Amino acid sequence: MSALKKFFKDTIIYGIAAILPRAVNIGLVRLHTDAFGSERYAVNTEYYVYAAYLNALLTYGMETAFFRFFSKEQEKGKIISTSFISLLFTTLVFLALGLSFAPEITSFFGFEKVMYVKILVWTVFLDTIVVIPFAYLRVTNRPIRFAGIKIVNIVFLAILNILFLWAIPNGILSEGIVPEALNFYVDGEPQVIYIFLANVFASLLTLLLLLPNILKIKWTYDYSILKRLLIYGLPIMVGSLAFVTNENIDKLFLGEIIGDTEMGKYSGCYKLGVFMTLYIMAFRLGAEPFFFNHAKEKNAKNNYATILKWFTIFGAIFMLIVVAYIDIFANILISKKEYLDALAIVPIILLANLCLGIYNNLSIWYKLTDKTKYGMYISIFGAIVTIGFNLIMIPIIGFMASAWATLVAYGSMMIISYVLGQKHYAVPYNVPQIGVYVVLAVTLSAVSFYTSFRGNYIIATALVLVFLAIVYVLERKELKRLLRKGS
């Protein structure tokens, strides 16, 4: 089996691990938006913004550093144990401090209840200590076990959400099953705390499933290895924090500048952009270990160029399909009409996420050349763009400013990374061809969304078929070559 064919095979399995959980999460959007108005839904959004920042901070680039050094070091056991012990120690310190100072944290950040903070601390703790075990499954080519655990996690999470927010409040289960002290209703409304509880229980189950892998880790610690891991990983951490800013700071700004109701609408419709996000995640899960493990091969750069082209093609297809049938997706996933006021952000967010996915592919140049500081600089630049654009434009055009800020930030990061990458680690990307696919998908999406054809699904289907036909005409020789090579 060729390297490319194995890559695409593993990516499909990782895709299941990424897509199914996200698909379930998309389904939960309907449950959550049914249970809460846009203002209450904003509390849930804000909570997970803080969780994203903490996850980036507490992993401090160790996952990517693990991939880099595991692929090139002889003493792989020490790489595993040193990286895991390091994360375990720092996360235990975070757990102790977070629980001890929960009241002060609640007051400082304006959380409604101390319990919110305690659940957040436990959730982040549980999610962080499984980072290296999951990374080990990926780097040792065990995608099926990886996918299996992720699927069990999301099914359990979905069951708990349905139980907490629908079954018990609607009297589906008898009152004797659940202690009355849980108080699922306050003034007749379910509480967002049960979304948080569902997440912490699901994270605990994931830890238990990975425990056999964790117990096999030898407790050996090498300070020299840790030093190299940190030198490589800390710029990744700063870049990750900047990325979280790009992804989430807009929601905090919207809540502060124009109110939680508008922020809730934006956040609800933003979830429709998750179709592109889950595609990017699936691709990254397969691509990151592949890029490192095959870096020394003679045709590595050509493979990277081929991968980016096909990533862009499939990403453009996803974007066009979602935009062409956007009203169908919106009506399925969001029942309350108040959220649909922000539907215009979705095409912009989808294109922004496609740019982000291309950037992630391009970023291999600074990871393979150990110049992760450049990734940090680019991400910081993107964060500055995001912050500045939001602060200036939100008072003028409302939540549309946040969508455009995301596109400008990711688009500029993509361009900067390509230019720098060609100087430090030149990969023969077919930029004109990639550009044609992006422009074509954007044009067809605009025709579908912004003209009188919107809602005409015969035209929508025709537009999608036009794109697919053009791809087939341009790529049929490449497809045949790849299939012959992989057979």
Side-chain angles (χ1 to χ4, degrees), residues 141-362:
N141 297 314
R142 299 177 66 186
I144 294 177
R145 177 162 172 75
F146 179 95
I149 294 174
K150 289 288 187 180
I151 290 169
V152 170
N153 169 278
I154 196 61
V155 170
F156 185 60
L157 177 67
I159 291 171
L160 290 179
N161 270 271
I162 294 170
L163 176 69
F164 290 156
L165 298 180
W166 181 73
I168 294 174
N170 287 284
I172 305 300
L173 300 178
S174 63
E175 293 181 5
I177 293 178
V178 180
E180 187 176 342
L182 286 177
N183 191 11
F184 282 86
Y185 274 77
V186 174
D187 297 328
E189 295 291 335
Q191 300 300 293
V192 293
I193 192 172
Y194 297 109
I195 300 178
F196 310 153
L197 284 171
N199 273 273
V200 75
F201 292 149
S203 296
L204 178 60
L205 176 62
T206 298
L207 174 61
L208 294 176
L209 292 173
L210 282 168
L211 202 56
N213 298 88
I214 293 173
L215 293 176
K216 292 179 182 178
I217 297 175
K218 295 180 180 179
W219 291 83
T220 56
Y221 192 78
D222 191 312
Y223 179 75
S224 64
I225 289 177
L226 175 65
K227 185 177 179 180
R228 281 180 285 160
L229 288 169
L230 291 176
I231 291 173
Y232 184 93
L234 287 178
I236 297 288
M237 179 198 73
V238 177
S240 296
L241 290 171
F243 168 73
V244 173
T245 298
N246 288 330
E247 281 288 285
N248 297 290
I249 200 70
D250 52 354
K251 301 171 185 67
L252 297 181
F253 283 156
L254 286 171
E256 289 294 325
I257 297 173
I258 59 177
D260 285 345
T261 299
E262 294 299 294
M263 189 261 269
K265 294 177 183 178
Y266 175 85
S267 300
C269 286
Y270 193 96
K271 294 285 179 118
L272 293 172
V274 80
F275 291 101
M276 185 66 71
T277 304
L278 61 87
Y279 167 64
I280 293 170
M281 178 182 293
F283 196 87
R284 186 181 66 82
L285 289 172
E288 196 164 40
F290 176 87
F291 285 155
F292 286 119
N293 289 336
H294 294 269
K296 295 181 180 179
E297 292 186 2
K298 184 178 179 181
N299 62 339
K301 291 184 178 181
N302 290 328
N303 284 341
Y304 298 159
T306 301
I307 287 171
L308 177 61
K309 182 180 71 174
W310 285 103
F311 169 86
T312 306
I313 290 172
F314 284 112
I317 292 170
F318 282 132
M319 179 177 70
L320 178 56
I321 290 174
V322 174
V323 175
Y325 302 101
I326 191 168
D327 293 304
I328 294 177
F329 288 120
N331 288 325
I332 292 173
L333 300 177
I334 301 174
S335 63
K336 291 187 176 181
K337 301 303 179 185
E338 62 179 298
Y339 286 92
L340 301 183
D341 293 344
L343 202 59
I345 71 167
V346 177
I348 302 169
I349 294 299
L350 288 168
L351 178 58
N353 283 334
L354 179 58
C355 292
L356 173 63
I358 295 173
Y359 167 76
N360 287 337
N361 276 267
L362 295 172

Side-chain angles (χ1 to χ4, degrees), residues 453-479:
F453 292 132
R454 180 171 171 181
N456 185 329
Y457 299 117
I458 295 176
I459 298 297
T461 303
L463 293 174
V464 173
L465 291 176
V466 166
F467 187 87
L468 292 175
I470 293 173
V471 170
Y472 176 75
V473 169
L474 294 178
E475 302 297 337
R476 63 183 183 275
K477 292 183 180 179
E478 175 79 8
L479 278 170

